[in-house]
């Protein structure tokens, strides 16, 4: 996810763009850049790695005179975060500058063809391919920028929101979208463009959300014009913005955490895209292909991680052992590094970290590499330290996670681990093609299933009232639901400060059962799986001691539903895919309990998003 801003008008172009970038920083913050179209027919581009504030420092002594401009805050997908890979990108002759949010799936084919035509590339981005392609078409056909953009986009496969400016027409922006958001703000003799309305809500409340396949012509002194790829004018639907700036910064949600919980259908779609192909028959994880021999010959896999990522790791163990028949050990990175680990070149170490910067996980990676193990990283932040230190890996592609409590990163990590296990199983032949394809089909249904689970929101909000003042809470699950119980308990304690413990349900009778009374609620995760009958008896044990029960069960459950005090029903999925589904009601439950208690859910006390110290 990246953020785009554009402006044409008599206002202070630079100030408007920079302020807009700050508003969009939640979409990405690894580098930022700005292109200013000057009245004398020049384009000045300034870029800087890091946050928007770095760009501001960089621009302090620069010529900022402009009548139009486009700007970008980046969340790297192709190419590491760097000044060179930051947007905007120039065309080879310097006539055009372009910003882009999205992923061009056929960029390699286009790039190779352009290289054959003599184009030189300076960055590793898919975006530079777009600007070079537009320029190439423009020169070849001696046509307008609009026509060149139309023709270029007809060749492009993938998601994009783009904005392009041209040296000789400094009062004009051409913008287009397909699958990535783009909104135009219509002001008084000025027009704005942005990934969402936050950058212009204080200047105008007239907003046009572009639709897929539309191209906007934004020109000073002219009314907004929108055409399709065949140059036919389309109807302009103007929306009146009613949201306040503060709401919009969180996309209309009260907190980043809630926004991130609700983003999960999209983030999971992004995580799966291009990795489950042929309708589910094939799983393609490039990192596994890179490390094919190592995974095929691994005598053991060790997964290292911290916090929520460690809970995902535990699920990784169940998935890999089950599907690939390779023994797996899961270690807290902070323990692993001081445990005199025994590793050699036959071991594969997987490091999981949303931020890619957690100090203990990074240290574990270095130890594993020094001992000769093959190290694979699973991260969210492109270009962060862990992906840089590992030999291969996979990004979860869920976009910036701002809320300290990890939500969408957890489901993204579990998704990637599932795909990892399936792709190793595919290579090793430890699963039948039918089983892989059956699971692949279900994986493709996960985003829409998660949408259904999110419909429980109102019910969970009401339910949360009953448990707001609980002092303790037990989370119980078995098999694939045990790590979900751990994660549910962590979510509750970190944002509501209620003591919560996750436990394997069967272990309860070896101690924790002593805690159960009317004051001690239990959240029991009990989808229909191979241990369902076993967990029924655990539910009975809690019930017999007067404990109240919130049960997460599958739709149509008849046994546990009758015993539980409150039931949250989720759609049935193959057993190994249930954690993604069952963890979502637990995220919402902890969110609402913390809200009822008036806690700062996005920035809970004593916690940082990225733990870069020991
Ligand atoms: O960035 P990482 O995934 O390495 O972070 C690890 C933990 O600090 C993190 O998961 C933490 O437990 C979360 N705040 C939990 O919601």
């Amino acid at each position: 996810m990246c953020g785009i801003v554009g402006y044409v008008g008599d206002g202070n172009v630079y100030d408007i763009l920079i302020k807009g970038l700050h508003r969009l920083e939640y979409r990405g913050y690894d580098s930022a850049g700005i292109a200013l179209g000057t009245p004398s027919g020049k384009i000045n581009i300034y870029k800087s790695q890091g946050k928007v504030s770095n760009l501001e420092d960089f621009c302090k002594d620069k010529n900022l005179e402009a009548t139009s401009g486009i700007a970008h805050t980046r969340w790297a997908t192709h190419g590491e975060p760097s000044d060179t890979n930051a947007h905007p990108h120039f065309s080879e002759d310097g006539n055009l500058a372009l910003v882009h949010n999205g992923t061009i799936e056929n960029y390699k084919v286009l790039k190779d063809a352009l290289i054959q035509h003599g184009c030189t590339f300076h960055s590793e981005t898919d975006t530079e391919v777009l600007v070079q392609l537009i320029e190439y078409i423009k020169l070849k056909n001696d046509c307008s920028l609009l026509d060149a953009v139309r023709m270029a986009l007809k060749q492009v496969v993938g998601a994009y929101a783009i904005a392009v400016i041209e040296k000789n027409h400094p009062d004009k922006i051409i913008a287009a979208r397909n699958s990535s958001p783009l909104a135009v703000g219509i002001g008084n003799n000025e027009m704005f463009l942005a990934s969402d309305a936050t950058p212009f809500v204080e200047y105008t409340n007239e907003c046009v959300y572009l639709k897929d396949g539309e191209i906007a012509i934004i020109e000073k002194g002219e009314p907004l014009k929108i055409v399709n790829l065949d140059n036919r004018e389309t109807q302009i639907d103007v929306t009146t913005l009613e949201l306040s700036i503060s709401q919009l910064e969180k996309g209309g949600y009260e907190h980043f955490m809630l926004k991130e919980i609700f983003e999960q259908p999209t983030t999971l779609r992004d995580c799966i895209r291009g990795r489950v192909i042929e309708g589910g028959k094939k799983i393609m994880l490039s990192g596994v292909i890179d490390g094919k021999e190592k995974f095929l010959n691994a005598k053991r896999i060790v997964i290292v991680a911290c916090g929520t990522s460690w809970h995902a790791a535990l699920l990784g163990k169940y998935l890999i052992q089950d599907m690939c028949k390779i023994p797996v050990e899961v270690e807290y990175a902070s323990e692993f590094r001081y445990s005199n680990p025994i590793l050699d070149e036959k071991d594969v170490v997987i490091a999981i970290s949303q931020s890619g910067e957690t100090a203990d996980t990074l240290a574990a990676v270095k130890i594993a590499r020094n001992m000769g193990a093959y190290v694979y990283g699973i991260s969210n932040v492109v270009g962060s330290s862990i992906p840089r230190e590992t030999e291969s890996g996979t990004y979860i592609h869920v976009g910036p996670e701002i809320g300290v409590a990890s939500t969408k990163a957890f489901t993204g990590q579990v998704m990637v681990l599932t795909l990892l296990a399936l792709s190793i199983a595919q290579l090793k032949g430890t699963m039948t093609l039918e089983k892989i394809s059956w699971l692949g089909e279900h994986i493709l249904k996960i985003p829409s299933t998660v949408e259904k689970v999110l419909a429980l929101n109102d019910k969970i909000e009401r339910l949360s009232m009953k448990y707001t003042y609980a002092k303790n809470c037990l989370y119980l699950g078995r098999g694939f639901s045990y790590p979900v119980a751990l994660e549910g308990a962590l979510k509750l304690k970190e944002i509501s400060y209620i003591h919560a413990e996750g436990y394997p349900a069967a272990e309860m009778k070896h101690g924790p059962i002593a805690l159960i009374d009317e004051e001690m609620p239990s959240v029991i995760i009990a989808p229909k799986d191979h241990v369902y009958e076993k967990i029924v008896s655990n539910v009975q044990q809690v019930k017999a001691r007067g404990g109240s029960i919130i049960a997460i069960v599958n739709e149509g459950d008849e046994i546990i539903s009758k015993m539980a005090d409150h039931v949250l029903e989720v759609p049935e999925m193959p057993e190994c895919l249930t954690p993604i589904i069952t963890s979502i009601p637990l995220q919402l439950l902890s969110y609402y309990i913390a809200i009822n208690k008036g806690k700062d859910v996005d920035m809970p006390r004593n916690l940082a998003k990225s733990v870069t110290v020991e």
Side-chain angles (χ1 to χ4, degrees), residues 51-63:
K51 295 199 167 181
V52 176
S53 51
N54 291 10
L55 176 67
E56 280 180 279
D57 289 343
F58 181 72
C59 288
K60 271 190 182 128
D61 56 350
K62 300 287 184 292
N63 174 12

Side-chain angles (χ1 to χ4, degrees), residues 257-258 261 457 460-473 475 488-489 491-500 521 523 550 568 585-601:
M257 181 179 174
L258 191 61
I261 292 173
N457 179 64
I460 296 174
E461 185 176 7
R462 285 193 299 276
L463 174 63
S464 70
M465 313 277 184
K466 297 195 187 316
Y467 295 95
T468 297
Y469 297 102
K471 294 259 177 309
N472 300 286
C473 191
Y475 283 71
K491 287 291 86 87
L492 187 69
K493 60 188 146 193
E494 73 179 320
I495 59 170
S496 71
Y497 319 143
I498 294 174
H499 170 243
V523 178
I550 302 170
L568 296 170
L586 306 185
Q587 297 170 350
L588 285 168
L589 184 64
S590 55
Y591 170 80
Y592 283 114
I593 290 178
I595 292 296
N596 300 341
K597 294 184 79 172
K599 304 297 178 203
D600 183 348
V601 293

Side-chain angles (χ1 to χ4, degrees), residues 306-309 353-355 358 404-406 490-491 494 611:
C306 300
T308 287
S309 300
S353 171
Q354 185 285 132
S355 60
T358 297
V404 164
S406 191
L490 177 61
K491 287 291 86 87
E494 73 179 320
V611 185

Side-chain angles (χ1 to χ4, degrees), residues 98 100 104 126-134 153 156 162:
L98 178 144
H100 165 225
I104 306 303
D126 51 344
T127 302
E128 199 185 352
V129 173
L130 279 179
V131 72
Q132 302 283 31
L133 179 65
I134 295 168
L153 293 182
V156 164
I162 59 164

Side-chain angles (χ1 to χ4, degrees), residues 15 19 33 47 54 104 107 151 175 304 412 430 444 479 488 510 599:
D15 284 353
K19 212 164 163 193
K47 313 198 256 190
N54 291 10
I104 306 303
Y107 87 99
M151 285 187 250
V304 291
T430 44
L444 292 172
H510 301 287
K599 304 297 178 203

